[in-house]
């Protein structure tokens, strides 16, 4: 591939920037999960870590050789390095697509079968699914080492990969179908179903959320007084006074120990909060799948062009842009998590700013909101307890006067 010196330098600098951004961003994701306890509790984070690991490996082992080819304009390194990077490129690409397919399966179960999600998508099942994906990718990409297919450098390309020449085209087609096209199509179908369900449920959720929080969930002082009426002028015996005091103490202690768990809308609120969290996670992972498709479309066109003619006949601009796009995709995922996932966003802030304040114990934005919610709940509970104490004092005063 012939390029001007200036163009090669600009392209090499751009690829170097992509390399640094991808390494930094994906390391940040892995560190955020490692340092944030609330992120570790979900099974979906296993899939996020899996995808970030693949993106990091692609950036470390493939992109540097692309930069070398751009500068030298051909492969001038030893042949065994071409075979090794060709294998790693095919292997990691298959692992990337299967990682996205696993995410689509996870989100489909979460949206279509929310009540059985915890049992169907357990940590054990998710880890087995991820492990099976790596083994599946390894199985198909090892075939050239056993005589079926070949890794090499195609003229016109920017890195070593599986060869599409007539002698090895059969393996190339099988690999493309089993490891690339099939997972991508299945993921696309599942993502489409998930997107439609999330869109419809988001509208229903907003309506039910608004109606739930329009209710007054605080205990009414008047209601409490009606449940245990006290009159200063009534004639009360010593036994009834004692019973009334016991009832008042029981009400006070029970309310203090319950900490709002007796609120009839508390279960509903927890359910709503969980649904809101699932919607946020699903939207984030949908954005990951959507960006993957956008960044890989040019490469698909280039590969199809090469399959129908030859790699040398692929337009130079298409080859350069498609190559940059597929590796830039690895650098985009951290930006998506930072923009759409509040827990990751706040975990990134901790790591980048070295803060140890309100999020230091692994509490993310959700945890912060939860902490604030508890604080407000405790304040309201304290106020209600004070009301009950005042009621008790009034009862005691009335009893003394009657005595």
């Amino acid at each position: 591939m012939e390029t001007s010196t200036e163009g090669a330098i600009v392209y090499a600098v751009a690829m170097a920037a992509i390399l640094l951004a991808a390494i930094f961003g994906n390391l940040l994701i892995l560190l955020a999960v490692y340092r944030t306890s609330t992120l570790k509790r979900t099974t979906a984070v296993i899939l996020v870590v899996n995808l970030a690991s693949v993106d990091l490996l692609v950036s470390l082992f493939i992109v540097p050789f692309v930069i070398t080819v751009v500068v030298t304009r051909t492969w001038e390194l030893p042949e065994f390095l071409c075979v090794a990077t060709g294998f790693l490129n095919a292997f990691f690409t298959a692992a990337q697509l299967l990682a996205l397919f696993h995410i689509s399966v996870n989100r489909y179960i979460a949206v279509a079968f929310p009540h059985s999600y915890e049992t169907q998508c357990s940590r054990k099942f998710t880890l087995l699914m991820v492990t099976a994906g790596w083994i599946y990718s390894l199985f198909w990409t090892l075939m050239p080492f056993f005589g079926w297919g070949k890794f090499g450098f195609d003229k016109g390309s920017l890195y070593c990969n599986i060869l599409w020449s007539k002698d090895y085209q059969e393996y190339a087609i099988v690999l493309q179908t089993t490891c690339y096209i099939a997972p991508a199509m299945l993921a696309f179908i599942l993502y489409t179903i998930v997107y439609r369900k999330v869109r419809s449920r988001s509208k229903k959720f907003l309506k039910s959320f608004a109606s739930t929080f329009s209710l007054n969930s605080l205990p009414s002082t008047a209601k409490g007084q009606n449940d245990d009426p006290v009159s200063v002028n009534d004639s009360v015996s010593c036994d009834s006074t004692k019973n009334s005091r016991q009832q008042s103490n029981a009400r006070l202690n029970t309310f203090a120990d319950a900490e709002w768990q007796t609120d009839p809308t508390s279960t509903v609120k927890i359910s709503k909060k969980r649904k809101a969290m699932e919607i946020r996670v699903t939207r984030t992972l949908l954005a990951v799948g959507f960006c993957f498709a956008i960044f890989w479309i040019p490469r698909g066109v280039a590969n199809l062009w090469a399959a129908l003619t030859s790699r040398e006949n692929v337009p130079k601009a298409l080859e350069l842009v498609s190559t940059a796009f597929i590796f830039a995709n690895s650098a985009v995922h951290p930006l998506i998590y930072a923009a759409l996932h509040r827990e990751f966003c706040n975990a990134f802030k901790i790591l980048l700013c070295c803060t140890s304040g309100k999020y230091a114990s692994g509490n993310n934005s959700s945890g912060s909101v939860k902490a604030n919610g508890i604080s407000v709940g405790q304040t309201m509970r304290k106020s209600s307890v004070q009301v009950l104490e005042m009621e008790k004092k009034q009862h005691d005063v009335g009893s003394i006067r009657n005595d």
Side-chain angles (χ1 to χ4, degrees), residues 17-38:
I18 291 172
L19 171 64
L20 294 176
I23 293 175
F24 176 77
N26 288 288
L27 280 176
L28 199 61
I29 292 175
L30 298 178
L31 286 173
V33 173
Y34 176 76
R35 295 282 300 274
T36 310
S37 59
T38 50

Side-chain angles (χ1 to χ4, degrees), residues 39-312:
L39 289 175
K40 297 178 184 178
R41 297 171 187 171
T42 62
T43 55
V45 78
I46 297 175
L47 304 177
V48 173
V49 169
N50 181 43
L51 184 58
S53 301
V54 181
D55 289 338
L56 182 62
L57 291 172
V58 168
S59 303
L60 290 173
F61 294 103
I62 307 299
V63 178
F65 294 101
V66 173
I67 297 174
T68 302
V69 172
V70 170
V71 174
T72 60
R73 303 184 183 184
T74 185
W75 185 270
E76 296 185 354
L77 298 174
E79 183 64 23
F80 78 91
L81 279 178
C82 182
V83 174
T85 57
F87 160 71
L88 291 176
N89 183 41
F91 177 44
F92 292 151
T93 302
Q96 269 184 328
L97 286 164
L98 285 172
L100 287 171
F101 171 66
H102 294 155
I103 290 174
S104 67
V105 171
N106 181 277
R107 290 299 90 193
Y108 173 76
I109 296 175
V111 173
F113 308 99
H115 300 292
S116 59
Y117 171 74
E118 294 293 337
T119 55
Q120 293 190 33
C121 290
S122 62
R123 296 183 70 87
K124 182 178 179 180
F125 171 79
T126 304
L127 289 172
L128 287 175
M129 184 171 61
V130 169
T131 304
W134 282 94
I135 295 174
Y136 181 84
S137 302
L138 183 63
F139 171 79
W140 286 106
T141 52
L142 280 176
M143 291 299 170
F145 296 106
F146 296 95
W148 190 29
K150 186 178 180 180
F151 297 115
F153 182 76
D154 265 339
K155 263 190 169 183
S157 65
L158 294 176
Y159 50 85
C160 295
N161 204 342
I162 56 174
L163 296 178
W164 280 82
S165 59
K166 292 183 179 179
D167 295 335
Y168 311 107
Q169 197 171 31
E170 181 183 3
Y171 169 73
I173 292 174
V174 171
L175 180 66
Q176 289 280 335
T177 303
T178 56
C179 292
Y180 303 155
I181 298 176
M185 292 300 296
L186 290 173
F188 174 77
I189 294 171
L190 292 177
Y191 273 126
T192 303
I193 297 172
V194 169
Y195 173 76
R196 290 180 177 177
K197 286 184 176 293
V198 167
R199 187 176 180 182
S200 62
R201 288 189 179 183
S202 295
K203 296 178 180 178
K204 295 179 181 178
F205 169 76
L206 290 174
K207 292 180 181 179
S208 59
F209 187 84
S211 62
T212 299
F213 282 89
S214 65
L215 298 175
N216 184 11
S217 60
L218 296 178
S220 174
T221 304
K223 182 179 178 180
Q225 292 174 349
N226 292 335
D227 290 339
D228 187 20
V230 177
S231 175
V232 177
N233 297 323
D234 287 343
S235 176
V236 184
S237 63
C238 294
D239 293 338
S240 62
T241 301
K242 184 177 179 181
N243 293 334
S244 297
R245 289 178 180 178
Q246 291 177 349
Q247 291 175 2
S248 180
N249 289 331
R251 287 177 59 200
L252 181 60
N253 294 332
T254 302
F255 188 80
D257 294 337
E259 294 192 2
W260 295 101
Q261 294 301 319
T262 55
D263 184 357
T265 61
S266 60
T267 304
V268 178
K269 290 179 182 179
I270 293 172
S271 177
K272 300 297 182 184
K273 184 177 179 180
R274 181 177 180 82
K275 287 181 180 179
M277 180 190 70
E278 288 294 340
I279 290 174
R280 288 198 305 270
V281 172
T282 302
R283 283 178 174 172
T284 303
L285 297 180
L286 279 173
V288 170
F290 177 76
C291 286
F292 187 91
I294 294 298
F295 278 88
W296 272 83
I297 285 176
R299 193 62 192 175
V301 174
N303 288 340
L304 181 61
W305 200 314
L308 296 177
T309 57
S310 67
R311 181 63 65 178
E312 294 182 8

